[in-house]
Amino acid sequence: MADYILDLRKAAGRRPLLQTGAGVIVVDAAGCVLLQRRSDNGCWDYAGGSMELGEEAEETAQPPLARWLAERNA
């Protein structure tokens, strides 16, 4: 069901959809909050994403956070 959200969007067209998501707000020792620039609109946001059907919240939030940590430590 990896394309569940895309399939819903195709079926609904431009009508509003209610989606469940999960995110992570990370604060470092200095009190700074982790933000990442979104690839779809260029705005700053916390790490997270839309949940796929049958996915747990941790499964949704972990990949964006892991990507940010990998880029930061590269």
Side-chain angles (χ1 to χ4, degrees):
M1 290 285 177
D3 296 321
Y4 178 69
I5 301 297
L6 296 176
D7 292 342
L8 275 178
R9 178 49 62 206
K10 287 177 190 172
R14 293 180 170 261
R15 293 181 301 190
L17 289 177
L18 293 177
Q19 293 178 249
T20 302
V24 179
I25 298 175
V26 178
V27 181
D28 68 13
C32 296
V33 176
L34 157 69
L35 294 175
Q36 62 180 14
R37 190 175 296 270
R38 293 176 54 120
S39 60
D40 60 346
N41 62 18
C43 293
W44 291 97
D45 202 356
Y46 55 86
S50 294
M51 291 177 70
E52 295 286 340
L53 189 61
E55 191 174 48
E56 297 291 330
E58 293 84 1
E59 294 173 286
T60 300
Q62 193 273 336
L65 182 59
R67 280 193 299 274
W68 183 84
L69 291 171
E71 290 170 7
R72 181 177 180 189
N73 295 321

